Amino acid sequence: MTTKTQAEMAKIPDGASVVYLLDASSELEVEVLDEWLSGRGTPGEMIRIASTRRRTRTDPRLDARLKRDDDPYLVPVRVVWLPEERQGNRTARWTDLLRLGDPRDPNFIMERLIRKVAPDRIAVVVGEGAHSSELAGAYAATDEVVTFREFATRRAWLSLERAERKLRGNRYKIPKFLHEELTTRPEFGDGAIQFGTERGLSEKMSFRRASYYLREMAASHSPFLIDLIANAIHALYHRGYGAIHYDAESIKKIATLGQEHPLVFLPSHRSHFDRISLQYILWENDLPPNHTAGGINMNFFPIGPLIRRTGVFFIRRSFRGNELYKFVVKQYLDYLIERRFPLEWYIEGGRSRTGKPRPPTYGLLSWVVDSWRRGKAEDVILIPISIGYDEIQDVGAYAAEARGGEKQPESFGWALGAVRNLASRYGNIHVRFADTISVAEQLGAAGTSDTHLEIQKVAFEVMSRISRATPVTPTALVSIALAVAGGKPHTADNLAEIVFEHAAYVEDRGFPITERVETVAIVERVLDRLVEQWTVTRRIGQAETAYWTDFDQSLEVAYYRNMVVHFFLPRAMAEVALVGAEDEEDFWARISELRDLLKFEFFFPEKEALQEEIAADLCGDVPKWREEVEKGEGESVLRSTRPVTAPWALGAIVEAYLVVAHQLKADGGGVDDDRFIDACLERAQFYLLDQRISHDEAISKELFTSGLSLVRNREQIDTEAKRESFSTQMNSLHADLNALPTGTGRGSDQSLSSP
């Protein structure tokens, strides 16, 4: 399919009887097409078909014309209205609202005005032609429940859409005829009747209910709003952020992949800015807009209608037992995959409240894989994406929820408040595209049996690649330094020493970064920005300025180091295992025990791969560490490694699990989740006051919930002996952590002096 403007015309087969199918929404458009065709030197009959812009009716003469024996050659043509050209681009802007609406869809008055004063904004596109006999053959092979006239009209629409897209750009590739195409498929009607009648509905009502579900969930893209929202996003993120950083070469590779396969974008989820950041990147690079799965809770006025028209489709939070609704969701996904419209959703399900990735959900992923297995596409390409931030405006709300506060429901007032809060500066946004995953290569040839385990492995690989692509930011390093400081006041120079040591470790291991942190000025810049956001406390004295975090700020600051803690995890686990390890076998046994204990907090590779990571990390500091450990000299290895990471990387988790263990012993076997978590919050606050634990951020509903999930998974709740075993394990691990040095430098056990 090629775009035809006033400069060129499709080649008409010699001797063909030509019929031009006019997709015209007004009499003026008919005039424009008539004039244009008259000047092409290729005479033919003109018949109007139903317009995609105003949805007029198809001329009934088309039925008779299609049945004639001369096998006419059908050529679809359409008038395209273009926005005003600005700096080489023809995209809509907010100023167009002051000019009576969408420049691509002018009203009766604007059509005539544009034709008179701006004829360069009028173009004609010509779709690929076909003989009536070719369409008849395709119609005979289709299973769509439509008349031949409707089939021919729809084929003309699709041909013109492809032609118009080459004129306007790929950013406007949208499923314009979703409802017409999907609801006329026999499999849609048959499935709707089957699952509807199972719910006690009549056949007619079953189809109506399925159609209603489709309209409730489906995105309804508007090119006008796609442009307007993209311009709004640019203005919005600049209120709080400097720039969105991403790799242009990665975008080019994704664009190439999208020409051959359906794409599924799977970004991390830490902020409501995640979607609009990715949306703007795609728009800026002329890529098709994603179809993004959103919770029905976001479908409130006016936000819901706006984001629906930029690509969000809404799925109910729960539809267990409603097989008809589930069927419609699957049909919708099948259609998008079959037509290579890109998908997007958050595989974690919701925003991370801690900075660490949440466990993946499998529903949508399993349905996409199922669609691939049923031959809707030869392959599906998964694109893991890390969306990171120097700082996030939501961390205060996350911390409040972790301490027992209620989640603020989404509403228009909530959205306005979020925009107002962007008056502060939050640094930059960092979008990193990880290596893509081919579903066909990952799961083998289509047609093999699907299992839940296979889906879990794919989801795990997605999360692992997101984690590896996440860059270490200066804010994360400063957050680590504040954790090492333990809430005590320190100067920027003191904190910078810790930052530089951890930055050197990051650079030595080749972890991704956003920028090198080599000066105290960079550390001060981050600290002052955190002070502006009330995340860090600052006191300016006559001689020195001190920074620290208090109890209410500790969880907010912890969020940033948790975003990158997985990079330090092998080292932290090794440090704990080295304490008291009798030999290398005992060392690896301790590593395995830690891996099992922390499986609800981190995504671990296979046992052998984890051992290789830990061994390589220790070799970086102590090449002969194995010989030392085999002799029972693990603590000598500890004294030769830097920096010490376990106290800040694992301390809060271990202390939170310790509280869970003690609360289980106190409660006995019966556990009511809400009451139990509240009891853990109360116990942890007492332990902190009594100095039984030392990490403020250990007082977290998220950590207590993970700890409870762990003991349930390990079946350590049911009997007193099992609860005692878990408590003993946590007491021992807590003691090992406390035996580690907590300061900076090689083996130092002294915290930095306060100013």
Side-chain angles (χ1 to χ4, degrees):
M1 182 66 58
T2 57
T3 299
K4 311 299 176 186
T5 65
Q6 295 182 12
E8 57 179 316
M9 179 65 183
K11 179 176 175 58
I12 304 296
D14 294 337
S17 176
V18 181
V19 175
Y20 293 106
L21 303 181
L22 276 57
D23 180 356
S25 63
S26 66
E27 292 302 322
L28 186 139
E29 289 189 358
V30 174
E31 291 177 19
V32 171
L33 292 173
D34 188 12
E35 290 179 10
W36 187 81
L37 290 170
S38 298
R40 298 307 99 196
T42 310
E45 185 179 354
M46 294 189 297
I47 297 178
R48 290 181 68 173
I49 60 174
S51 169
T52 53
R53 197 153 67 85
R54 294 283 186 268
R55 294 301 172 94
T56 57
R57 294 181 180 276
T58 297
D59 190 328
R61 291 184 301 150
L62 181 59
D63 283 321
R65 193 66 187 85
L66 291 172
K67 295 176 182 178
R68 281 172 53 177
D69 295 335
D70 59 345
D71 192 17
Y73 189 73
L74 308 174
V75 181
V77 291
R78 173 191 290 171
V79 171
V80 176
W81 302 89
L82 303 172
E84 179 184 344
E85 185 173 4
R86 305 177 181 95
Q87 298 177 340
N89 295 315
R90 289 188 181 273
T91 58
R93 300 191 180 184
W94 285 94
T95 53
D96 289 316
L97 287 176
L98 304 177
R99 302 176 183 178
L100 303 180
D102 187 352
R104 298 188 185 90
D105 187 16
N107 59 31
F108 175 84
I109 297 174
M110 290 301 297
E111 282 184 344
R112 280 154 178 76
L113 183 62
I114 292 170
R115 190 181 188 190
K116 182 176 181 179
V117 303
D120 63 305
R121 290 182 52 193
I122 303 175
V124 174
V125 293
V126 182
E128 186 175 358
H131 282 284
S132 176
S133 58
E134 295 177 53
L135 288 179
Y139 178 66
T142 188
D143 56 3
E144 295 180 24
V145 186
V146 292
T147 65
F148 185 32
R149 180 180 66 181
E150 291 170 332
F151 178 81
T153 299
R154 194 174 297 169
R155 282 297 182 94
W157 286 348
L158 293 173
S159 177
L160 288 168
E161 285 299 309
R162 289 191 289 267
E164 185 176 333
R165 191 161 62 244
K166 291 193 174 183
L167 177 66
R168 287 182 172 174
N170 287 319
R171 61 168 62 101
Y172 309 112
K173 179 187 176 184
I174 58 177
K176 204 168 183 179
F177 314 111
L178 165 71
H179 292 275
E180 292 90 343
E181 292 187 310
L182 190 52
T183 57
T184 56
R185 292 181 174 183
E187 61 182 299
F188 184 90
D190 294 344
I193 291 172
Q194 174 190 340
F195 293 110
T197 53
E198 289 176 1
R199 293 176 61 84
L201 303 175
S202 66
E203 291 188 0
K204 184 176 182 180
M205 185 55 68
S206 296
F207 186 82
R208 285 184 176 179
R209 183 68 59 84
S211 299
Y212 168 78
Y213 286 156
L214 181 61
R215 292 189 181 278
E216 178 190 77
M217 74 178 64
S220 54
H221 296 76
S222 161
F224 185 41
L225 277 178
I226 287 172
D227 283 346
L228 293 188
I229 295 301
N231 282 282
I233 291 171
H234 185 265
L236 182 64
Y237 82 72
H238 271 303
R239 281 178 57 89
Y241 292 96
I244 302 176
H245 294 294
Y246 62 91
D247 177 37
E249 288 302 315
S250 296
I251 291 292
K252 292 179 182 178
K253 293 177 182 177
I254 289 170
T256 301
L257 284 170
Q259 294 174 5
E260 300 294 332
H261 306 289
L263 306 178
V264 177
F265 292 79
L266 298 172
S268 59
H269 197 20
R270 298 186 176 98
S271 166
H272 285 299
F273 265 86
D274 294 337
R275 180 180 184 269
I276 63 176
S277 299
L278 182 56
Q279 179 182 347
Y280 184 78
I281 290 173
L282 298 178
W283 180 88
E284 187 176 45
N285 289 275
D286 194 32
L287 267 67
N290 289 344
H291 291 69
T292 306
I296 200 72
N297 61 304
M298 291 299 296
N299 190 20
F300 57 85
F301 183 83
I303 302 300
L306 283 175
I307 61 177
R308 182 192 294 274
R309 301 195 75 186
T310 62
V312 174
F313 64 94
F314 297 104
I315 297 181
R316 296 179 180 182
R317 289 290 188 184
S318 175
F319 45 89
R320 181 173 298 176
N322 189 343
E323 294 300 318
L324 178 59
Y325 186 87
K326 185 186 296 185
F327 165 76
V328 175
V329 175
K330 290 182 177 181
Q331 286 286 301
Y332 182 50
L333 294 176
D334 279 356
Y335 177 88
L336 297 177
I337 289 169
E338 188 177 2
R339 298 303 175 90
R340 296 203 306 272
F341 290 111
L343 282 162
E344 175 190 344
W345 71 82
Y346 301 112
I347 195 168
E348 299 168 79
R351 287 173 293 158
S352 168
R353 262 55 179 183
T354 64
K356 298 195 300 291
R358 292 164 62 103
T361 57
Y362 308 116
L364 283 174
L365 181 60
S366 65
W367 290 347
V368 166
V369 169
D370 184 55
S371 181
W372 164 74
R373 289 192 185 283
R374 287 184 283 104
K376 298 300 180 181
E378 292 183 1
D379 196 2
V380 177
I381 305 299
L382 308 181
I383 306 174
I385 306 168
S386 168
I387 303 180
Y389 303 81
D390 286 332
E391 287 98 41
I392 300 176
Q393 68 172 147
D394 300 319
V395 292
Y398 296 159
E401 290 175 34
R403 292 274 162 79
E406 294 295 326
K407 177 181 179 292
Q408 184 180 358
E410 288 83 0
S411 65
F412 184 54
W414 161 84
L416 286 178
V419 173
R420 284 196 299 268
N421 289 338
L422 285 173
S424 298
R425 303 305 299 172
Y426 294 92
N428 295 312
I429 302 173
H430 308 279
V431 180
R432 299 291 178 91
F433 297 92
D435 293 337
T436 58
I437 299 172
S438 161
V439 169
E441 292 178 5
Q442 192 82 2
L443 297 181
T448 59
S449 61
D450 186 16
T451 67
H452 184 62
L453 180 60
E454 286 179 323
I455 300 299
Q456 283 183 317
K457 288 182 177 179
V458 173
F460 173 84
E461 185 60 28
V462 169
M463 298 306 300
S464 296
R465 296 191 187 195
I466 289 174
S467 295
R468 292 197 296 270
T470 300
V472 179
T473 65
T475 307
L477 294 171
V478 169
S479 172
I480 292 170
L482 289 166
V484 174
K488 297 178 181 178
H490 285 69
T491 65
D493 287 338
N494 294 151
L495 294 170
E497 290 182 30
I498 310 173
V499 168
F500 296 157
E501 188 172 46
H502 285 80
Y505 177 82
V506 167
E507 189 170 344
D508 288 345
R509 269 54 179 183
F511 300 145
I513 61 174
T514 59
E515 64 176 295
R516 299 183 70 179
V517 184
E518 299 176 310
T519 65
V520 176
I522 296 176
V523 175
E524 286 181 320
R525 181 193 71 197
V526 173
L527 286 167
D528 290 339
R529 208 162 55 210
L530 292 173
V531 169
E532 181 184 347
Q533 298 157 24
W534 302 95
T535 305
V536 168
T537 301
R538 176 180 61 195
R539 182 175 181 180
I540 302 176
Q542 292 183 347
E544 295 178 315
T545 298
Y547 301 87
W548 70 93
T549 56
D550 59 28
F551 175 77
D552 291 329
Q553 296 168 328
S554 59
L555 276 175
E556 298 179 33
V557 172
Y559 194 96
Y560 300 114
R561 59 179 172 269
N562 284 341
M563 290 168 63
V564 300
V565 66
H566 54 277
F567 289 124
F568 300 88
L569 185 60
R571 166 58 61 90
M573 294 174 68
E575 290 169 359
V576 176
L578 285 169
V579 177
E582 297 178 359
D583 51 30
E584 187 176 354
E585 182 180 357
D586 184 41
F587 171 80
W588 290 121
R590 288 168 177 250
I591 292 294
S592 295
E593 183 180 330
L594 282 169
R595 183 178 183 274
D596 181 68
L597 182 75
L598 299 171
K599 62 187 177 184
F600 281 83
E601 300 292 340
F602 302 102
F603 296 97
F604 287 104
E606 296 295 334
K607 178 180 177 180
E608 294 76 13
L610 177 62
Q611 290 183 357
E612 290 176 5
E613 282 188 39
I614 291 173
D617 180 78
L618 289 176
C619 281
D621 284 344
V622 188
K624 296 184 178 181
W625 70 271
R626 291 181 185 273
E627 290 88 335
E628 294 295 314
V629 172
E630 187 61 34
K631 294 187 297 183
E633 298 293 334
E635 295 189 15
S636 71
V637 176
L638 271 175
R639 288 191 292 271
S640 301
T641 59
R642 59 90 189 152
V644 178
T645 62
W648 66 260
L650 301 179
I653 298 171
V654 170
E655 290 184 348
Y657 284 17
L658 179 73
V659 170
V660 169
H662 290 183
Q663 190 62 43
L664 281 173
K665 283 186 63 178
D667 281 0
V671 173
D672 173 83
D673 286 16
D674 291 339
R675 189 203 62 78
F676 180 81
I677 298 301
D678 288 341
C680 285
L681 285 169
E682 184 177 344
R683 179 179 291 270
Q685 289 168 352
F686 174 75
Y687 277 15
L688 186 66
L689 290 173
D690 199 38
Q691 297 185 354
R692 298 192 202 182
I693 62 175
S694 59
H695 293 80
D696 294 347
E697 60 270 27
I699 305 177
S700 165
K701 289 177 66 175
E702 294 279 341
L703 291 178
F704 298 147
T705 301
S706 295
L708 184 57
S709 298
L710 174 72
V711 292
R712 280 207 173 105
N713 176 263
R714 292 165 53 160
E715 299 180 349
Q716 289 183 294
I717 294 180
D718 300 337
T719 67
E720 183 178 351
K722 290 180 179 179
R723 294 191 294 274
E724 181 64 37
S725 173
F726 182 58
S727 180
T728 300
Q729 180 188 17
M730 295 315 304
N731 287 333
S732 175
L733 182 56
H734 190 227
D736 288 345
L737 265 176
N738 287 336
L740 289 168
T742 58
T744 61
R746 296 180 182 273
S748 170
D749 59 0
Q750 300 295 319
S751 61
L752 293 174
S753 59
S754 301

